[in-house]
Amino acid sequence: APRAVDAPAIAIDLGTTTIAASLIDTRTGETLASLSALNAQRAYGADILSRIDESLADASLLAGIIRAQLASIIQRLLTGAAPQSPLKLYISGNTTMSYLLLGLPCRSLASAPFRPEFPIAERYAGRDIFPDAAHLADPAHATPIADILQAAEVYVLPYLSAFVGGDILSGLLTLPPDEDWLFVDLGTNGEMVLQKDGKRTGTSAAAGPAFEGGGISCGMGGLPGAIYELSPTDATAPGALSLRYKTIDGLPPEGLCGSGILDAMAVLLASGTIDRTGAFTVPAKDNQILIAEHAAPVKQIYLTQKDVRVFQLSKGAIRAGIEVLCAEAGGLPEKIHLAGGFGQALRPESAITTGLLPVEARGRITSLGNTSLIGAIMLAKGQAPWPPQQEIPFREIILAEHPQFNDLFIKHMEF
């Protein structure tokens, strides 16, 4: 028989690349089920700017895609559960993703002065977010999702600005309010907030999808079989890499996720296989540096010169953003908190070796995991008030308008 859930809530991290969700029984505080999936909007662009362009004339297409996917995810989470009261949804995403969920035009997010045109309400009725719920059901799952969605209460975390969205506000709920720290959410967008002397300064760098496996020849998301950690053996030398690796769930390697890509770049650099400019220093067969392979079935995991360049663009944008933020807000704090799937899994030494993070960050780094989802879970459990309060003064820096950003970006593209 279906398990009765007295007070069901689902917390959702609406990521540009990945969606993560957890079903909570708010009466007991128990997490009953969790799952993640690649964002179905990726077919219309791996990055935020592509999706904004797609939605300028009509946001309904991308809104329909994400609503249908969320309905399927919710239906899967509720399989075997019998909600005894209306479902509550707590959804955190960047400003663009929140707008696309709500079907709002994104034109104000795409051009100066980059001020969001539409506010986000404190609560939405499920029938407004899922007006076509009857057509969103996944026939593979028997849960009668239409009525549940229509009766749901939907809470979408508000944004702080065009580039610092509800996902970051959700993450800030997990941090101590009375300490100085740098918070960096590493994903398709690199959002960062520096708290110092009771004030917060934030910015966002368009890193692109490389940190989540996108745009890389053998890149993939953090899925089973992804290489998430790489290190050299004693035999490693330029042109003759000998590497050991770890994969998610211990399966044969299928590709490189973000942390594996970072480790690979650090190894290539430390071995002299690439130089400080990112150029290959040794002949590479078919322009490929072999990272890993297995025989059954035959699979080779490699990096190309183009992959290195894609990584350099992403790394340069994040590091330049950190440099601008620290210069504007009073220096690098003693505590650095990394969030996001990539931020959770990366090895700090690889981040420092490649220049993603400054040398001064050594010994200061803590990985927090998916703070967007963690904050949404806190709200679902009543561990933080709704609407979440932003009581500490916040100032945003628009990197595209900052006089030093381009020079820093070019400088930090190099290793």
Side-chain angles (χ1 to χ4, degrees):
R3 174 181 176 178
V5 182
D6 291 338
I10 293 178
I12 299 172
D13 166 37
L14 188 58
T16 307
T17 302
T18 305
I19 299 169
S22 293
L23 171 63
I24 311 295
D25 185 336
T26 61
R27 184 183 64 82
T28 65
E30 183 181 0
T31 298
L32 303 177
S34 297
L35 59 84
S36 63
L38 292 176
N39 190 319
Q41 292 178 338
R42 281 168 57 104
Y44 293 88
D47 57 82
I48 283 295
L49 293 179
S50 299
R51 296 191 205 168
I52 289 176
D53 287 343
E54 180 67 36
S55 69
L56 283 177
D58 183 4
S60 63
L61 172 64
L62 292 183
I65 289 171
I66 202 61
R67 290 171 176 180
Q69 186 175 21
L70 288 185
S72 177
I73 287 172
I74 292 165
Q75 187 175 36
R76 290 165 60 194
L77 284 172
L78 290 174
T79 299
Q84 303 299 298
S85 60
L87 176 67
K88 294 184 178 181
L89 303 177
Y90 293 86
I91 303 175
S92 67
N94 63 50
T95 309
T96 300
M97 288 306 307
S98 296
Y99 267 34
L100 292 177
L101 169 68
L102 299 171
L104 298 174
C106 296
R107 55 183 175 266
S108 61
L109 308 179
S111 58
F114 303 104
R115 294 196 182 99
E117 184 177 358
F118 305 100
I120 289 180
E122 289 191 10
R123 187 177 75 170
Y124 295 88
R127 62 181 175 274
D128 294 331
I129 305 298
F130 302 102
D132 302 317
H135 304 292
L136 299 178
D138 183 346
H141 297 270
T143 304
I145 196 64
D147 291 344
I148 293 174
L149 288 175
Q150 293 273 299
E153 299 174 7
V154 183
Y155 301 87
V156 180
L157 273 88
Y159 51 76
L160 294 175
S161 69
F163 300 115
V164 182
D167 53 346
I168 302 306
L169 180 55
S170 182
L172 295 180
L173 296 174
T174 70
L175 297 174
D178 54 354
E179 296 179 1
D180 292 348
W181 38 253
L182 172 64
F183 172 75
V184 184
D185 191 324
L186 289 165
T188 308
N189 300 294
E191 293 104 343
M192 51 200 83
V193 176
L194 194 153
Q195 177 165 296
K196 188 174 180 63
D197 299 331
K199 298 178 181 179
R200 290 175 177 172
T201 308
T203 193
S204 175
F211 292 147
E212 295 181 325
I216 303 295
S217 299
C218 294
M220 63 182 291
L223 302 171
I227 295 174
Y228 69 88
E229 184 177 307
L230 274 167
S231 58
T233 66
D234 294 339
T236 291
L241 288 177
S242 176
L243 304 174
R244 61 174 66 91
Y245 58 81
K246 296 180 181 179
T247 66
I248 296 175
D249 293 346
L251 298 176
E254 295 293 333
L256 291 156
C257 65
S259 59
I261 294 167
L262 179 69
D263 278 354
M265 296 298 169
V267 169
L268 294 179
L269 188 64
S271 68
T273 306
I274 59 176
D275 63 21
R276 289 289 171 182
T277 71
F280 285 179
T281 62
V282 295
K285 183 180 179 181
D286 299 324
N287 191 37
Q288 298 174 0
I289 298 293
L290 185 65
I291 301 298
E293 62 182 333
H294 63 89
V298 175
K299 184 79 173 184
Q300 290 189 329
I301 313 300
Y302 57 86
L303 289 171
T304 68
Q305 183 69 76
K306 181 182 176 182
D307 295 333
V308 177
R309 300 308 187 200
V310 169
F311 175 84
Q312 287 178 276
L313 289 170
S314 297
K315 187 264 296 190
I318 295 296
R319 177 64 183 277
I322 291 173
E323 295 290 322
V324 168
L325 190 60
C326 289
E328 291 284 339
L332 188 70
E334 286 299 317
K335 296 186 178 180
I336 301 171
H337 300 295
L338 302 183
F342 174 56
Q344 178 181 12
L346 70 77
R347 291 201 292 182
E349 198 56 37
S350 292
I352 293 169
T353 297
T354 59
L356 175 64
L357 296 175
V359 173
E360 294 79 10
R362 186 174 281 117
R364 305 184 189 186
I365 300 169
T366 302
S367 296
L368 301 178
N370 188 345
T371 56
S372 175
L373 181 62
I374 294 170
I377 290 172
M378 290 173 61
L379 290 164
K381 292 182 177 181
Q383 296 172 345
W386 184 269
Q389 301 300 313
Q390 175 61 23
E391 298 175 349
I392 299 175
F394 176 81
R395 177 173 71 99
E396 183 181 27
I397 298 169
I398 306 297
L399 291 179
E401 300 175 354
H402 195 278
Q404 296 179 345
F405 176 73
N406 285 337
D407 289 342
L408 288 168
F409 174 52
I410 294 170
K411 172 184 176 182
H412 289 297
M413 279 177 56
E414 290 200 353
F415 294 105

